[in-house]
Amino acid sequence: MWVLRGLRKGILTTGYPGKGLAPDEVPRSSFPPTPSADADWAKGGGLCPTGAIQGERVDAGRCVYCRRCKDAGFRFEGPAPGPMASERAALARRVLGRSLHVLVLDVGSCNGCNMEVLNLANPYYDFNRLGIFFTNTPKHADVLLAVGALNKAMVETLKRTYESMPEPKFVVAAGACAMSGGVFKDTDGFASPLGDAVPVDVEIPGCPPTPLQLLDGLLLIGGRRRAP
Amino acid sequence: MIRRFVERGPARAEGPVQPSASFSAGGRHLSILTDTDRGRTILCEAQPEERPWQRAPPGSPLELEHGGQVGGYGTFSFQYGPVAYGVQEAGAFKLATYGERVVKAVPIVNYKKRGIEGRVAGMKPEDALLLLERSAGHFSASYSTCFCTAVEDALGLDVPSRVLWDRAVAVELERIYNHVHVFAREAEAASQNVAASQANALGERVLRLNAKYFGHRYLFGFGGVGTSSADLGTQGRRRELLAGARAVAGEFAGLMDGLLSSRIFLDRLQGTARLSKEDATRLGAVGPAARGSGVEADDRHVYPAEPYHDIFVSLETEREGDSLARLTVRAREVQSSAMVLQELLDRMPPSGGVGSRGDGGEDFAICRTEGPSGDLIMALGLDGQGRLAFLHVRPSSAANWIPFAISLEGSVFTDFQFAYESFGLSFADSDG
Amino acid sequence: MSPDALLFVLLAYLSAALLACFSRRLGYALGAAASAAAASLSLYVLLGGGGTELPLQVGVELSLNRFDAYFLLVSSLVWLGTCVYSMDYDDDYPAALSPLFLLTILSMTVILVAGDAVSFLMAWETMTIASFFMILQGRGRREDVRRAAFLFLAFGEASTVLIMVSFAAMYASLGSFQFLGAGVGRVVGAYAPIAFLAALLGFGLKMGLVPFHVSEWLPIAHSNAPSNASAVLSSTLTLMGVYGFMNVMSRLAPYQLWWGWLALSIGGVSALLGASFASTSEHFKGLPAYSTIENNGLILVALGVYLLAARYQLSLMADVALVAAMYHAFSHAVSKASLFSVMGWLSKVRRSFDLNAAARGTAPGPMRATAMAAVLSLAAAPPFAGFVSEWMVLEVLFQSFKFPDVASQLIGTVVGALVALATGIVTVAMTKAYGFGVLLSGKGEGSPALRGSGWYFLSLVTGLGVAAPLVFFLAADAASGVLGGQVFGTFVTGLLGVPAYFVILSGRPFGGFSPTFTAIFMLGMLAVPLAVARVGGAWRPRRVAGWFAGAARPSDEGEMYNSFGYSSPFRIMLRLLFRTRESVLRAGAARATGEYFVDVRIVDVFRRFYDISAKWALALSRETGRYVMPGRMGRYLAYIMLAMMFVLAYILLVAG
Ligand code: SF4
Ligand code: SF4
């Protein structure tokens, strides 16, 4: 019966990354602030709550997409900021082939990132078709996908988890919180950006990054996509 | 969204009141008491009634209510988390057992205690809002609504009705996607994979509606003190949103019929993690967890402020108090939220104009909002410059930890996930 | 072959027992040597060296035919290891233990070589009484030990009486007591069912079968009997039951259908109950003792299939079933003795029989390896012997559809399900025994004798699986002398490139399986990647800390999964069987406050039966005591012995 119900729904899954995106698939929560011609950088820097606007540059790792800076002449339009990867990540293909086992580790997130990570499994994104799977133990994981602002209480756990993973291993820091602490960077519980605790291979900006951005970031490992 | 309910109560409250939160502000110990019967929230000065989620240092067990050792041949306890599939968050449980059966469960909290309350003290409300709506990302509309309303109240600001209605729309959308998400997780735990992915797909559709009409999949940033940036200006857009939401609710009803007639699924839920009405009342459970046990607690009913004061919200309760009851409540609330959305969107007041008037600014306010997992309370004070003097948050998860732990006693391990998800608990929510 | 060899073995055991009165180490050493001699002798007979007879002047005769030799081979291989093990195990038990131990072995040898019913019974009685005294040497509360030993004796006597009934029925039909040696015709008519039933009950008592097993498991499991005694009792004393039962079976004709049904049912229920209680036992020796019930149940199931198949003239099936029984008896005896030796050693050094107690003692490496092989074999994991025999038992049960009548089909199928279930459940028991008993105890140094016995048992358990075709050959050959016409070649063959004799066929057309080649294949699967990894340089072992869901390693034992918890799912799932009662007491009035005290109990049907029969037996003894001898157990025993001897002598004279 459930099979029938399933079939009746037709195909929802995005053609991405093979095909381009249909307009309603464009991720919405993270349009990056784009300076217009008359953007006032100094004013933007004053408005920005996370210090993402520095000089004449927007630091994607800090931006939480609050759209405050629109008063300083920044517009919000696509494309979503792409992930950033270290050199090493692209080399993973030789050792990992086309399958990735991902351990999701919450080191202090607000659950927004967790929700988006879980959404990778929904039929719209269906990450299993790309050979990506969740695993529950670091001993089976190729990739540590960390979300949230690294909390002081989680530093030990993070390191322990990283240690327990077999080589070769890769770390993905997803979301502004993991990359820089986001809005929490000055709270008491915040320890450090993820990269200060373990070597990070891929960074995915966003607050939270949409499932497509996460997918993009994961595909960078093994060089299945190029960094933009 | 709920205003004008604070009564300065006597130091010793009369009648059946339930302590909901206590905190210190300006060197005074204050307690928030709830009198559900008469729809009152009472603030009184009292001895600090210790609430464990306030004090527990990071990574420590939340043992206040039901401390004590577990003994007997063959018993042992072990920690589940903070990296555990069933929890999916930086949180853990200490489970005492003799194998298979949970004798006692103790939530281990504050693995992600960020210290938001401390951080926002001295901040401008609009800056604090950024942190608060990221306190628990999946409850962000409730947080921002609760916080903004409290600030407006404290400032004595006149807020356009339209803003209040926008917020209510956001809160109802948030309720729908969270309830749907709970179902997806439960179906997944019961290996009902088709149902799980269909529920997930419905959840995704709501997230896309959120993004389209509120600018963010998780409704971050649409609200502000006295303002809302929701894009519901035209009748046409409101109709579209309503059509989208109703379609989701309709399909969800179909999915529900299938799921709730599946023996496999029901078996996992029926009788699982039963919370009696007495325990729910005594321990102060909130939200669907309380309503599943027959407690008629819903802020939209008890403190009906604009726009809920003239919109019909059906109060969904169940008697059994098990996971199935909590889930049934959620399922019906998806439908009732869709109906509420219909009224909200059909009768949405024009922008501009003034809705509720503020109290006249006492620099202090308490606000309660019914989030997806229940009653969220914020108490805040402002200083002379309009900055936050203090903020106290009593999230719904904090109220539900102990009821959850108690209900889990006597369950078997495989029930854990069914119980946990049905309460809609979140460590991010309680760890603030 | 000259009877001297047999006489030599018997005398060697006797002198070992005598020597042990002065030096236990020497006694055990001589016992080991005698066992080696016995093993060689029986192998010689089995390989075609001809039977050997030892006529004694008093009208009894001792003879070693192939059937006897098979069981002697099994037993003496076990004794050899156990004697070596005892040299260092038995250093703080009362001095009487070692002579009694060797006397028990001697009497078992005599049972196997007894040519007539009378000498069989005399040896049987000696065995019972020697084991009784051996159990009396156990540790624990004096009263408990006595009670257990007494019960063992009471049921031992019941067993003897039933066996005597069986033999009497056979005598009435055959007119001779010489029916244990070479064939002397078959018991027919109304005597046959009596002989069968009495033998099933009498020997069943010794095999520890449900519902009459208490005589075996109780002292072994609960009275803290010395572990070397436990090993010998659990593996070879129950083997004597199998031997005796098969011997009687071989003299009966034609088989009746209900015999097979009865054997199947008793066997199936025993297997399931034994496995279930093994999996929930928290006792170092109770667990293997319950598993003995399971295994003897399996043997009886195989014999039940044999009875039916022989009756229906399904000759291939009968052959497979019979050999399965004999092979399983072999594999169980060896694996169980191995397991008992390790568990016994560990409970001794840990000073606790509780699997949940904090681990303190260690066992030497070879013993740990032995335990691993033994639990794998008992859990029926390939390529070990236990797997081969359980495979065969299940295969013949799956062929119940070949039985021509519905009742047999039905019983065969139901018992098949019981056995399959038991096989699954016992896996839990075995992983538990190894995990919480052996693994947590850690590795330590050991004396040469302990290490030696470890190596010895290890090679025996592994060798038995690999060399399965050889054992089949011996077993089929041995059985053919007694139970008639089996030909080894009917169920072993070559297939798919596996050479002749290396594939067992369980039916035609049905399953086939080659233990030897499975072993080789599995070894290859393990060795080849390892070798490739080592040679290819991919061998880079890395040690990481254990994973505790992201938390730090728990610091105290109360935070680790324990043995009780490991089997609690069974207590909860099979609550109907165990009649589990779980209660959680909370101190303090409010439900949510105060201390928690947990009490989980299961109703042990075995224990229940024991309690009832103990009451019954004690009442009986009080009654007899009042008339016969006031109070003292020693005299009561002497009385029983005398009475027995008297009866036997009388029979001897009349029949002689
Ligand atoms: S954080 Fe907000 S203000 Fe800063 S750059 Fe991003 S969108 Fe603009
Ligand atoms: S990046 Fe944004 S969504 Fe993700 S955890 Fe941080 S605050 Fe939450």
Side-chain angles (χ1 to χ4, degrees):
Chain A
M1 188 193 71
W2 283 110
V3 177
L4 273 185
R5 279 172 178 272
L7 288 177
R8 223 181 295 143
K9 294 285 173 194
I11 296 172
L12 301 174
T13 311
T14 171
Y16 187 84
K19 288 196 230 122
L21 289 171
D24 69 336
E25 285 180 337
V26 176
R28 283 285 305 227
S29 36
S30 327
F31 280 175
T34 318
S36 54
D38 55 350
D40 180 344
W41 286 95
K43 188 176 172 205
L47 287 172
C48 178
T50 58
I53 299 178
Q54 291 173 327
E56 303 243 320
R57 201 177 69 85
V58 178
D59 181 347
R62 291 178 176 228
C63 179
V64 295
Y65 309 94
C66 66
R67 284 167 287 185
R68 285 253 179 105
C69 52
K70 70 173 184 289
D71 293 347
F74 287 78
R75 283 177 290 112
F76 291 86
E77 50 199 28
M84 296 157 249
S86 68
E87 288 293 302
R88 206 172 80 88
L91 303 176
R93 178 157 205 163
R94 195 177 61 84
V95 280
L96 294 179
R98 296 184 71 87
S99 135
L100 281 189
H101 283 81
V102 180
L103 176 78
V104 183
L105 181 69
D106 172 358
V107 292
S109 96
C110 74
N111 245 12
C113 283
N114 305 37
M115 296 280 280
E116 290 295 47
V117 169
L118 286 182
N119 275 331
L120 281 174
N122 83 32
Y124 285 92
Y125 308 107
D126 187 14
F127 70 152
N128 290 351
R129 79 200 146 99
L130 298 169
I132 306 175
F133 303 91
F134 289 142
T135 166
N136 300 330
T137 148
K139 312 235 167 179
H140 298 162
D142 307 313
V143 176
L144 182 69
L145 175 58
V147 294
L150 178 57
N151 200 292
K152 284 173 185 154
M154 286 299 285
V155 175
E156 273 309 301
T157 300
L158 170 69
K159 292 192 168 153
R160 217 177 273 135
T161 311
Y162 182 75
E163 281 305 308
S164 296
M165 288 168 64
E167 296 281 0
K169 49 189 163 192
F170 300 89
V171 178
V172 178
C177 280
M179 287 174 70
S180 66
V183 297
F184 300 118
K185 68 178 190 308
D186 294 322
T187 56
D188 283 348
F190 179 64
S192 71
L194 199 77
D196 293 357
V198 291
V200 170
D201 299 289
V202 175
E203 295 188 308
I204 306 175
C207 180
T210 59
L212 285 182
Q213 285 173 285
L214 290 169
L215 215 51
D216 251 359
L218 288 172
L219 290 177
L220 272 182
I221 295 177
R224 289 163 72 182
R225 263 188 87 74
R226 289 237 173 70
Chain B
M1 66 180 165
I2 297 149
R3 340 179 98 207
R4 282 201 213 92
F5 54 82
V6 179
E7 293 183 18
R8 299 291 152 87
R12 193 172 48 80
E14 291 153 30
V17 290
Q18 176 77 45
S20 291
S22 70
F23 57 98
S24 318
R28 292 189 303 170
H29 292 304
L30 300 173
S31 281
I32 298 175
L33 307 176
T34 305
D35 176 358
T36 321
D37 290 350
R38 277 177 287 172
R40 293 189 308 159
T41 294
I42 299 161
L43 179 81
C44 64
E45 200 164 340
Q47 281 308 307
E49 197 233 333
E50 300 249 3
R51 300 308 278 182
W53 57 88
Q54 290 298 317
R55 296 175 294 110
S60 65
L62 183 57
E63 263 200 273
L64 188 83
E65 277 274 351
H66 62 320
Q69 295 298 306
V70 174
Y73 182 81
T75 48
F76 62 98
S77 57
F78 67 95
Q79 183 173 329
Y80 183 58
V83 187
Y85 181 77
V87 182
Q88 292 273 358
E89 262 193 278
F93 290 89
K94 184 146 245 163
L95 301 174
T97 177
Y98 44 87
E100 190 71 357
R101 209 173 284 290
V102 178
V103 176
K104 181 176 127 181
V106 179
I108 299 184
V109 294
N110 290 346
Y111 272 112
K112 44 179 157 177
K113 178 96 183 168
R114 288 147 292 186
I116 294 175
E117 289 171 4
R119 172 75 183 100
V120 298
M123 270 182 149
K124 283 189 293 187
E126 55 274 29
D127 291 336
L129 178 60
L130 282 176
L131 276 87
L132 282 165
E133 60 188 8
R134 286 166 178 78
S135 203
H138 56 321
F139 299 155
S140 113
S142 314
Y143 268 76
S144 91
T145 299
C146 194
F147 178 72
C148 292
T149 315
V151 172
E152 289 153 6
D153 218 16
L155 289 171
L157 219 61
D158 295 335
V159 184
S161 289
R162 179 55 181 277
V163 171
L164 300 176
W165 287 59
D166 276 357
R167 287 179 189 159
V169 172
V171 168
E172 296 306 326
L173 284 170
E174 181 168 276
R175 192 181 326 280
I176 293 179
Y177 87 73
N178 270 286
H179 285 359
V180 170
H181 177 76
V182 165
F183 267 94
R185 294 280 291 159
E186 296 271 16
E188 200 182 297
S191 298
Q192 301 276 310
N193 291 336
V194 176
S197 53
Q198 291 193 1
N200 269 324
L202 291 177
E204 173 74 17
R205 275 163 60 184
V206 183
L207 294 179
R208 288 181 182 191
L209 291 176
N210 291 347
K212 195 162 170 194
Y213 299 95
F214 289 84
H216 192 281
R217 285 161 63 88
Y218 293 89
L219 304 162
F220 292 1
F222 86 90
V225 176
T227 63
S228 134
S229 61
D231 188 2
L232 297 169
T234 65
Q235 184 82 34
R237 280 186 74 78
R238 292 202 288 270
R239 290 235 173 89
E240 272 169 41
L241 170 58
L242 182 60
R246 285 179 55 171
V248 168
E251 285 180 39
F252 183 72
L255 186 62
M256 224 59 276
D257 286 347
L259 259 184
L260 293 182
S261 62
S262 147
R263 245 340 324 149
I264 315 169
F265 190 62
L266 288 185
D267 276 349
R268 311 305 305 264
L269 299 168
Q270 229 156 16
T272 297
R274 207 180 280 276
L275 179 69
S276 69
K277 187 173 179 181
E278 293 72 58
D279 280 347
T281 317
R282 184 172 62 82
L283 300 168
V286 299
R291 295 194 285 276
S293 299
V295 180
E296 298 188 348
D298 184 333
D299 289 343
R300 294 175 295 173
H301 268 268
V302 185
Y303 320 105
E306 188 177 4
Y308 291 104
H309 60 323
D310 69 343
I311 278 181
F312 172 72
V313 184
S314 69
L315 179 65
E316 305 292 353
T317 57
E318 280 281 313
R319 288 244 185 83
E320 293 301 313
D322 54 2
S323 291
L324 180 61
R326 289 183 283 273
L327 232 57
T328 314
V329 166
R330 283 179 195 272
R332 291 209 298 258
E333 281 180 10
V334 169
Q335 304 308 323
S336 83
S337 284
M339 263 140 68
V340 171
L341 278 178
Q342 171 151 22
E343 292 211 45
L344 288 172
L345 291 167
D346 279 353
R347 297 166 39 199
M348 177 137 320
S351 38
V354 171
S356 324
R357 293 206 93 89
D359 263 353
E362 300 192 28
D363 291 342
F364 175 82
I366 298 178
C367 185
R368 308 181 81 140
T369 301
E370 185 71 20
S373 283
D375 176 35
L376 166 70
I377 308 178
M378 285 191 202
L380 55 79
L382 300 176
D383 64 11
Q385 287 86 52
R387 292 173 186 267
L388 282 169
F390 72 90
L391 169 73
H392 178 79
V393 183
R394 201 299 311 270
S396 59
S397 299
N400 278 341
W401 279 132
I402 304 295
F404 166 68
I406 294 285
S407 80
L408 204 61
E409 290 181 3
S411 305
V412 293
F413 290 154
T414 40
D415 289 343
F416 180 87
Q417 190 148 19
F418 296 95
Y420 182 66
E421 298 294 343
S422 74
F423 273 84
L425 290 161
S426 150
F427 283 94
D429 190 21
S430 69
D431 284 357
Chain C
M1 180 170 195
S2 90
D4 295 350
L6 184 52
L7 190 61
F8 172 76
V9 167
L10 293 175
L11 285 178
Y13 275 129
L14 188 61
S15 11
L18 292 175
L19 189 57
C21 298
F22 304 102
S23 156
R24 57 177 124 207
R25 281 183 73 93
L26 283 182
Y28 283 130
L30 187 52
S35 303
S40 332
L41 172 63
S42 43
L43 204 56
Y44 174 79
V45 173
L46 275 171
L47 291 175
T52 164
E53 295 197 354
L54 182 65
L56 299 179
Q57 294 314 308
V58 284
V60 292
E61 89 176 14
L62 304 181
S63 73
L64 188 68
N65 61 28
R66 283 188 188 167
F67 187 69
D68 305 336
Y70 180 81
F71 283 90
L72 184 58
L73 177 66
V74 176
S75 312
S76 52
L77 286 176
V78 167
W79 296 333
L80 172 53
T82 333
C83 280
V84 174
Y85 166 74
S86 301
M87 289 168 68
D88 277 321
Y89 169 79
D90 173 20
D91 52 6
D92 51 356
Y93 280 96
L97 177 60
S98 47
L100 286 167
F101 180 86
L102 291 159
L103 185 63
T104 309
I105 292 182
L106 171 63
S107 53
M108 287 181 186
T109 317
V110 177
I111 289 174
L112 293 176
V113 299
D116 64 303
V118 179
S119 37
F120 181 97
L121 278 174
M122 284 170 72
W124 191 264
E125 196 56 16
T126 318
M127 171 182 82
T128 303
I129 289 172
S131 341
F132 161 76
F133 281 111
M134 195 155 70
I135 291 167
L136 265 186
Q137 310 305 318
R139 287 222 182 79
R141 271 205 329 163
R142 210 58 225 145
E143 199 182 316
D144 289 350
V145 173
R146 277 204 185 187
R147 206 164 127 99
F150 175 70
L151 212 72
F152 176 87
L153 188 70
F155 278 87
E157 294 311 326
S159 153
T160 310
V161 169
L162 284 162
I163 294 168
M164 282 169 74
V165 171
S166 173
F167 283 1
M170 289 163 75
Y171 175 73
S173 172
L174 297 173
S176 155
F177 274 119
Q178 313 288 338
F179 45 70
L180 292 174
V184 280
R186 298 207 159 195
V187 180
V188 290
Y191 291 116
I194 299 176
F196 175 82
L197 205 55
L200 180 60
L201 299 180
F203 291 114
L205 275 170
K206 280 284 176 250
M207 288 163 70
L209 296 175
V210 175
F212 14 78
H213 54 270
V214 271
S215 66
E216 297 318 320
W217 71 271
L218 179 87
I220 298 167
H222 284 260
S223 81
N224 308 350
S227 295
N228 54 348
S230 298
V232 163
L233 298 182
S234 185
S235 57
T236 49
L237 187 113
T238 63
L239 188 71
M240 295 303 127
V242 179
Y243 167 78
F245 182 62
M246 287 181 75
N247 238 323
V248 173
M249 245 168 63
S250 71
R251 293 287 151 248
L252 307 179
Y255 298 149
Q256 297 179 16
L257 282 180
W258 64 265
W259 298 0
W261 298 344
L262 192 63
L264 275 175
S265 317
I266 292 181
V269 172
S270 298
L272 183 60
L273 287 184
S276 306
F277 282 92
S279 72
T280 50
S281 172
E282 303 301 325
H283 194 281
F284 258 82
K285 284 155 61 192
L287 190 153
Y290 280 120
S291 137
T292 298
I293 299 176
E294 188 239 4
N295 283 285
N296 280 300
L298 281 180
I299 294 172
L300 192 64
V301 165
L303 290 177
V305 175
Y306 166 75
L307 285 169
L308 287 178
R311 161 70 186 249
Y312 294 130
Q313 289 170 351
L314 299 164
S315 63
L316 176 57
M317 196 168 161
D319 289 357
V320 177
L322 190 63
V323 170
M326 293 181 69
Y327 183 66
H328 194 79
F330 200 158
S331 78
H332 168 246
V334 168
S335 317
K336 190 50 63 65
S338 312
L339 185 58
F340 254 119
S341 67
V342 185
M343 298 298 268
W345 173 256
L346 283 171
S347 57
K348 173 176 156 147
V349 293
R350 287 165 63 131
R351 304 199 169 283
S352 164
F353 288 108
D354 188 351
L355 278 167
N356 287 293
R360 280 184 296 266
T362 59
M367 285 178 89
R368 285 162 57 91
T370 304
M372 175 61 119
V375 297
L376 284 175
S377 175
L378 290 167
F384 293 94
F387 173 75
V388 181
S389 47
E390 292 201 16
W391 178 80
M392 291 169 78
V393 173
L394 280 173
E395 286 278 305
V396 286
L397 281 170
F398 290 155
Q399 294 178 64
S400 311
F401 65 85
K402 288 186 179 164
F403 296 143
D405 74 303
V406 181
S408 302
Q409 286 175 0
L410 195 68
I411 293 176
T413 316
V414 171
V415 170
L418 293 182
V419 168
L421 201 58
T423 317
I425 292 177
V426 89
T427 313
V428 172
M430 289 304 143
T431 43
K432 177 168 149 173
Y434 187 78
F436 294 99
V438 183
L439 203 58
L440 282 186
S441 293
K443 189 168 154 185
E445 287 300 307
S447 70
L450 286 176
R451 300 175 66 85
S453 77
W455 284 121
Y456 171 78
F457 278 128
L458 178 63
S459 47
L460 211 54
V461 176
T462 31
L464 200 57
V466 180
L470 173 67
V471 183
F472 294 158
F473 173 70
L474 299 180
D477 202 33
S480 69
V482 176
L483 288 145
Q486 285 73 28
V487 186
F488 176 59
T490 54
F491 65 94
V492 288
T493 178
L495 200 69
L496 301 174
V498 177
Y501 298 123
F502 280 101
V503 173
I504 326 166
L505 277 189
S506 63
R508 228 178 268 274
F510 214 71
F513 169 69
S514 171
T516 315
F517 280 79
T518 306
I520 294 171
F521 178 72
M522 286 181 65
L523 201 68
M525 292 291 284
L526 200 67
V528 170
L530 278 186
V532 168
R534 271 197 188 264
V535 174
W539 181 259
R540 283 193 308 266
R542 192 168 69 99
R543 291 192 79 85
V544 293
W547 179 243
F548 299 90
R553 184 187 185 85
S555 47
D556 80 280
E557 297 254 353
E559 311 245 312
M560 296 276 206
Y561 226 90
N562 62 14
S563 157
F564 190 87
Y566 186 67
S567 46
S568 271
F570 275 117
R571 294 189 185 90
I572 292 170
M573 264 189 315
L574 303 179
R575 54 170 63 256
L576 281 182
L577 173 67
F578 291 121
R579 310 235 246 115
T580 312
R581 240 190 40 224
E582 304 166 74
S583 55
V584 176
L585 304 173
R586 293 178 182 82
R591 175 161 175 256
T593 56
E595 317 263 307
Y596 290 56
F597 187 79
V598 179
D599 183 22
V600 182
R601 282 168 193 225
I602 56 177
V603 174
D604 188 330
V605 288
F606 302 126
R607 189 92 205 174
R608 264 297 249 289
F609 186 70
Y610 151 74
D611 286 338
I612 293 167
S613 41
K615 217 185 284 167
W616 172 77
L618 288 175
L620 191 74
S621 78
R622 216 175 301 121
E623 287 303 307
T624 30
R626 193 178 302 157
Y627 299 112
V628 185
M629 38 123 235
R632 289 206 37 204
M633 199 154 78
R635 270 202 248 156
Y636 176 59
L637 287 176
Y639 168 77
I640 290 186
M641 273 278 259
L642 270 178
M644 278 302 298
M645 293 299 171
F646 180 76
V647 172
L648 289 176
Y650 173 77
I651 292 174
L652 211 61
L653 288 180
V654 174

